Amino acid sequence: MYCLQCTRKWYPELPEDDVVDKCPSCRKNCNCSRCLHLNGLIKTSNKELSISERRHHLQYLISLMLPFLKTISESQSEEIEIEAKVQGILPSEVDVKRAVSYCDERVYCDHCATSIVDLHRSCPKCSYELCLKCCQEIRQGSISERPEIKLHYVDKGYKYMHGLEMEPSSSSVSEEDEEAKPSPQWNAGANGSITCAPKALGGCGECTLKLQRILPRMRMSDLEQKAETLLASYIISLPRELNCKCSALETDMRRKAASRMRSSDNYLFCPDSIDVLKEEVLLHFQEHWAKGEPVIARNVLDSTPGLSWEPMVMWRALCDSSTSSSKIISHVKAIDCLSQCEVDVNTRDFFEGYSKGRTYENFWPEMLKLKDWPPSDKFEDLLPRHCDEFISALPFQEYSDPRTGILNIAAKLPEALIKPDLGPKTYIAYGIPDELGRGDSVTKLHCDMSDAVNILTHTAEITLSQEQISAVKDIKQKHKEQNKFEERGYGVACSQEEEEMNMPEILSHEKDETGSALWDIFRREDVPKLEEYLRKHCKEFRHAYCCPVTKVYHPIHDQSCYLTVEHKRKLKAEFGIEPWTFVQKLGEAVFIPAGCPHQVRNLKSCTKVAVDFVSPENIKECLRLTEEFRQLPKNHKAREDKLEASLFSLYQLINVFFLLLLYVRVLVFIKKMVIYAIEQALIELETLPEESKPMAQ
């Protein structure tokens, strides 16, 4: 039974006559408290794979993963040969003792924080553990101490953030020069033996590190041999070459996203949700995906029962959850996009601002965003119906389904193993169409460490009053004057007339009223030039408290830059590169390949839900990122002397280490995923019914 008051409040899009004809419960999109906490009501899988399809996918997965398994095995064989030289025996005589560890225990390298898969070296005295990559670097004399980075962003006051002079009591940006300290000596013996790390690096510096293993003896070699034998008995059919014409033909499965000269990848593959179940569309997806191109799937919510993604409905479900605390219900920790500070906001006030907008006292739009809300890695437990609805909406579930995706490497990890938290995660943030230049509702330029798919589930449009529009115009002019003054102080040339001359055209989409989020995704091959541009122009960007970015450790992984339209034009003029730029519309799913730097700006208030996955096509890129993130520092200056100074200090510490934490959660598992994915695929292949002959395509 549904009263009219609740129908109008919780189902505003459903006319009264439609409710009479078929109530929300029968439509399977009821928003009542009881229904919001039920799971299993809807079927999350949108396609049943035949035996031949499963066999084909599993063979395809093994064929792509086997080279990386061999690489892991070869590195272990090299370490055994070194151990044999140390002991003065044959490699076949080396007896590697098994370390004391458990299936649910994560073993990390004490130097680079990388997860250890199998062979490693351990100190018998202090249990210091070292991965094989660090062992190799020590022998080559290239081991890095991973020194701390020292950089502060100091609050110059409210007036400074809005283009006025900083308050007298405020100090300027503090950038301390890193003192050049002699690195502790850590060298390998002539025979390749390695002593425990010096005390300055966390070890005892006394005992020789012993070679140990985690997995059973011969497991890697047996797995490799078994995979090779199985593949030899089948005709492996990789995805067919479709000779894709979607970049040249007028079709409804493409979307223009760039205007690069003499380029065949200016258009992105953009199928409709009703087509993604077709075999030829999956093959088409795989062709673009293997090239490292994003994919946009349209209308993915049309095939779901229609559960409401209105933030207040989600909040209602959370309020009635037995696992939610009163603090989570009544208040949220939001990020103020202008100051980059974490602020405590009443939940109802936040969601009211989501639909109606918020302003500072000078009428400048106040942009707030929630990341990973509700604050838990158990989205499925807190919002079970929404989780099922999201998974059922996922296109190309062979890859994206976090539970059963047959080509999702992350889904192959055994239940007994502690798994990385890949989502789903919800992101709720304000947004307006016009680019402010400061304090925009953005996700700054960054690079995900796994593949991801992001669905826009709900939007709300905020309209600025004429008084606000006039105030914004005046304050933006103050920002420009402040930029010119400070750029001269940094020695940055800033002739606006010179910059605007001969600037190349790029796609903007800012006036596209049908879109809600503006995406910029860069090609992997353009990353070196992108990094060079950011290092050259880093002082033109602003980060915490609107302070200029005076120094970058890594221009992308620091996540301190957002490229405005002007910056994207300058990037194309100076380096000849531009991103894929497009607007995400309600109900669209954006697939982002691992290793593609990207940024997002909300043109409306948006609720997005995303999940990470690991595809066999992008394992190579994930492993490359693993090595890149090994070189990041272990800490940040905020931890050194600003920990208790302010809310921002804590947020800055969390923000800096979030990248490292996510790196630990995802990338350190890549090698483990390779091993378990092949193992699980082989087991499943053995259990499939036999066919009269191998499948050929």
Side-chain angles (χ1 to χ4, degrees), residues 178-464:
E178 296 181 16
E179 298 181 6
K181 297 180 181 178
S183 300
Q185 292 297 313
W186 193 5
N187 301 314
N191 60 359
S193 62
I194 299 175
T195 304
C196 187
K199 292 183 179 179
L201 296 180
C204 65
E206 299 176 5
C207 299
T208 299
L209 299 180
K210 302 297 183 183
L211 189 62
Q212 291 188 328
R213 61 183 173 85
I214 295 176
L215 300 177
R217 188 182 288 106
M218 303 299 293
R219 181 174 179 180
M220 296 277 284
S221 58
D222 289 347
L223 192 59
E224 181 181 343
Q225 182 179 6
K226 192 173 182 180
E228 288 179 334
T229 301
L230 184 138
L231 293 181
S233 63
Y234 289 100
I235 302 173
I236 303 303
S237 54
L238 298 179
R240 289 195 300 261
E241 289 292 334
L242 297 179
N243 296 319
C244 174
K245 300 293 192 301
C246 69
S247 61
L249 299 177
E250 288 293 338
T251 72
D252 59 356
M253 284 195 180
R254 68 165 196 161
R255 183 175 299 179
K256 187 172 183 180
S259 53
R260 309 180 187 98
M261 296 295 291
R262 296 180 296 277
S263 177
S264 61
D265 60 0
N266 287 329
Y267 290 81
L268 295 179
F269 182 45
C270 186
D272 192 276
S273 62
I274 61 175
D275 297 318
V276 300
L277 300 181
K278 301 175 183 177
E279 181 186 4
E280 61 269 22
V281 177
L282 174 62
L283 293 172
H284 204 155
F285 168 84
Q286 289 178 318
E287 182 179 359
H288 288 282
W289 192 246
K291 295 176 183 177
E293 297 177 9
V295 172
I296 308 165
R298 297 175 283 122
N299 305 316
V300 300
L301 298 180
D302 290 355
S303 59
T304 65
L307 183 68
S308 175
W309 288 93
E310 165 74 40
M312 288 299 289
V313 172
M314 298 174 68
W315 183 42
R316 178 187 188 184
L318 196 63
C319 288
D320 295 328
S321 174
S322 60
T323 57
S324 299
S325 67
S326 58
K327 182 64 176 177
I328 293 177
I329 296 170
S330 61
H331 287 76
V332 292
K333 296 287 187 181
I335 303 301
D336 185 319
C337 295
L338 182 64
S339 66
Q340 294 292 304
C341 289
E342 188 179 70
V343 293
D344 190 56
V345 184
N346 177 276
T347 306
R348 186 175 293 277
D349 291 342
F350 174 87
F351 289 133
E352 184 175 341
Y354 174 91
S355 57
K356 298 180 181 179
R358 291 167 63 101
T359 65
Y360 295 99
E361 58 187 37
N362 62 355
F363 296 106
W364 185 261
E366 182 180 3
M367 297 295 178
L368 300 179
K369 64 178 181 179
L370 293 180
K371 190 174 184 178
D372 295 354
W373 185 86
S376 169
D377 61 353
K378 295 297 183 182
F379 180 90
E380 183 175 3
D381 295 339
L382 294 174
L383 299 170
R385 280 291 308 282
H386 285 88
C387 185
D388 287 348
E389 181 101 355
F390 170 75
I391 294 177
S392 71
L394 287 171
F396 303 114
Q397 289 189 345
E398 293 89 344
Y399 288 88
S400 59
D401 191 326
R403 298 168 178 169
T404 60
I406 194 168
L407 292 175
N408 183 1
I409 307 304
K412 304 297 183 184
L413 290 173
E415 290 297 327
L417 196 71
I418 298 178
K419 299 182 180 181
D421 179 19
L422 300 177
K425 294 286 184 181
T426 306
Y427 304 86
I428 305 176
Y430 299 1
I432 60 172
D434 295 324
E435 187 172 70
L436 297 172
R438 292 191 195 179
D440 287 292
S441 179
V442 302
T443 298
K444 293 192 175 185
L445 187 70
H446 67 290
C447 185
D448 282 337
M449 292 145 285
S450 62
D451 303 308
V453 56
N454 180 301
I455 298 180
L456 180 59
T457 59
H458 184 271
T459 65
E461 191 165 2
I462 297 175
T463 304
L464 301 184

Side-chain angles (χ1 to χ4, degrees), residues 6 46 50 64 80 91 122 164 171 217 223 351 431 541 544 637:
C6 282
N46 55 34
S50 66
L64 290 183
I80 290 177
S122 181
L164 304 175
S171 58
R217 188 182 288 106
L223 192 59
F351 289 133
F541 295 92
K637 190 176 179 180

Side-chain angles (χ1 to χ4, degrees), residues 623-641:
L623 290 172
R624 185 194 68 79
L625 285 168
T626 301
E627 181 55 32
E628 190 170 283
F629 272 82
R630 282 184 67 250
Q631 305 303 325
L632 288 178
K634 292 183 179 179
N635 53 10
H636 190 275
K637 190 176 179 180
R639 183 185 184 187
E640 190 175 62
D641 56 6

